mmCIF file with all atom_site columns, all heavy atoms in Angstrom:
data_model
loop_
_atom_site.group_PDB
_atom_site.id
_atom_site.type_symbol
_atom_site.label_atom_id
_atom_site.label_alt_id
_atom_site.label_comp_id
_atom_site.label_asym_id
_atom_site.label_entity_id
_atom_site.label_seq_id
_atom_site.pdbx_PDB_ins_code
_atom_site.Cartn_x
_atom_site.Cartn_y
_atom_site.Cartn_z
_atom_site.occupancy
_atom_site.B_iso_or_equiv
_atom_site.pdbx_formal_charge
_atom_site.auth_seq_id
_atom_site.auth_comp_id
_atom_site.auth_asym_id
_atom_site.auth_atom_id
_atom_site.pdbx_PDB_model_num
ATOM 1  N N   . THR A 1 82 ? 95.060  105.195 99.462  1.00 0.00 ? 114 THR A N   1
ATOM 2  C CA  . THR A 1 82 ? 94.691  105.816 100.725 1.00 0.00 ? 114 THR A CA  1
ATOM 3  C C   . THR A 1 82 ? 93.191  106.081 100.673 1.00 0.00 ? 114 THR A C   1
ATOM 4  O O   . THR A 1 82 ? 92.520  105.723 99.696  1.00 0.00 ? 114 THR A O   1
ATOM 5  C CB  . THR A 1 82 ? 95.443  107.145 100.951 1.00 0.00 ? 114 THR A CB  1
ATOM 6  O OG1 . THR A 1 82 ? 95.019  108.096 99.958  1.00 0.00 ? 114 THR A OG1 1
ATOM 7  C CG2 . THR A 1 82 ? 96.949  106.944 100.858 1.00 0.00 ? 114 THR A CG2 1
ATOM 8  N N   . GLU A 1 83 ? 92.648  106.711 101.700 1.00 0.00 ? 115 GLU A N   1
ATOM 9  C CA  . GLU A 1 83 ? 91.224  107.033 101.695 1.00 0.00 ? 115 GLU A CA  1
ATOM 10 C C   . GLU A 1 83 ? 90.865  107.991 100.565 1.00 0.00 ? 115 GLU A C   1
ATOM 11 O O   . GLU A 1 83 ? 89.713  108.062 100.132 1.00 0.00 ? 115 GLU A O   1
ATOM 12 C CB  . GLU A 1 83 ? 90.817  107.636 103.037 1.00 0.00 ? 115 GLU A CB  1
ATOM 13 C CG  . GLU A 1 83 ? 90.940  106.669 104.209 1.00 0.00 ? 115 GLU A CG  1
ATOM 14 C CD  . GLU A 1 83 ? 90.559  107.306 105.521 1.00 0.00 ? 115 GLU A CD  1
ATOM 15 O OE1 . GLU A 1 83 ? 90.338  108.537 105.519 1.00 0.00 ? 115 GLU A OE1 1
ATOM 16 O OE2 . GLU A 1 83 ? 90.471  106.585 106.535 1.00 0.00 ? 115 GLU A OE2 1
ATOM 17 N N   . ASP A 1 84 ? 91.860  108.736 100.079 1.00 0.00 ? 116 ASP A N   1
ATOM 18 C CA  . ASP A 1 84 ? 91.610  109.706 99.008  1.00 0.00 ? 116 ASP A CA  1
ATOM 19 C C   . ASP A 1 84 ? 91.750  109.112 97.619  1.00 0.00 ? 116 ASP A C   1
ATOM 20 O O   . ASP A 1 84 ? 91.554  109.812 96.619  1.00 0.00 ? 116 ASP A O   1
ATOM 21 C CB  . ASP A 1 84 ? 92.576  110.897 99.150  1.00 0.00 ? 116 ASP A CB  1
ATOM 22 C CG  . ASP A 1 84 ? 92.389  111.627 100.472 1.00 0.00 ? 116 ASP A CG  1
ATOM 23 O OD1 . ASP A 1 84 ? 91.232  111.723 100.923 1.00 0.00 ? 116 ASP A OD1 1
ATOM 24 O OD2 . ASP A 1 84 ? 93.393  112.080 101.056 1.00 0.00 ? 116 ASP A OD2 1
ATOM 25 N N   . GLY A 1 85 ? 92.117  107.836 97.537  1.00 0.00 ? 117 GLY A N   1
ATOM 26 C CA  . GLY A 1 85 ? 92.274  107.215 96.226  1.00 0.00 ? 117 GLY A CA  1
ATOM 27 C C   . GLY A 1 85 ? 93.672  106.632 96.046  1.00 0.00 ? 117 GLY A C   1
ATOM 28 O O   . GLY A 1 85 ? 94.455  106.543 97.006  1.00 0.00 ? 117 GLY A O   1
ATOM 29 N N   . PRO A 1 86 ? 94.023  106.226 94.820  1.00 0.00 ? 118 PRO A N   1
ATOM 30 C CA  . PRO A 1 86 ? 95.326  105.609 94.573  1.00 0.00 ? 118 PRO A CA  1
ATOM 31 C C   . PRO A 1 86 ? 96.468  106.598 94.767  1.00 0.00 ? 118 PRO A C   1
ATOM 32 O O   . PRO A 1 86 ? 96.330  107.797 94.511  1.00 0.00 ? 118 PRO A O   1
ATOM 33 C CB  . PRO A 1 86 ? 95.232  105.148 93.121  1.00 0.00 ? 118 PRO A CB  1
ATOM 34 C CG  . PRO A 1 86 ? 94.153  105.978 92.514  1.00 0.00 ? 118 PRO A CG  1
ATOM 35 C CD  . PRO A 1 86 ? 93.182  106.270 93.613  1.00 0.00 ? 118 PRO A CD  1
ATOM 36 N N   . LEU A 1 87 ? 97.602  106.086 95.240  1.00 0.00 ? 119 LEU A N   1
ATOM 37 C CA  . LEU A 1 87 ? 98.810  106.909 95.391  1.00 0.00 ? 119 LEU A CA  1
ATOM 38 C C   . LEU A 1 87 ? 99.531  106.949 94.043  1.00 0.00 ? 119 LEU A C   1
ATOM 39 O O   . LEU A 1 87 ? 100.455 106.166 93.785  1.00 0.00 ? 119 LEU A O   1
ATOM 40 C CB  . LEU A 1 87 ? 99.714  106.328 96.476  1.00 0.00 ? 119 LEU A CB  1
ATOM 41 C CG  . LEU A 1 87 ? 99.312  106.587 97.919  1.00 0.00 ? 119 LEU A CG  1
ATOM 42 C CD1 . LEU A 1 87 ? 100.255 105.873 98.874  1.00 0.00 ? 119 LEU A CD1 1
ATOM 43 C CD2 . LEU A 1 87 ? 99.313  108.085 98.209  1.00 0.00 ? 119 LEU A CD2 1
ATOM 44 N N   . ALA A 1 88 ? 99.096  107.844 93.187  1.00 0.00 ? 120 ALA A N   1
ATOM 45 C CA  . ALA A 1 88 ? 99.655  107.930 91.841  1.00 0.00 ? 120 ALA A CA  1
ATOM 46 C C   . ALA A 1 88 ? 101.008 108.636 91.853  1.00 0.00 ? 120 ALA A C   1
ATOM 47 O O   . ALA A 1 88 ? 101.195 109.642 92.541  1.00 0.00 ? 120 ALA A O   1
ATOM 48 C CB  . ALA A 1 88 ? 98.686  108.671 90.925  1.00 0.00 ? 120 ALA A CB  1
#
Side-chain angles (χ1 to χ4, degrees):
T114 66
E115 295 179 353
D116 299 324
L119 282 176

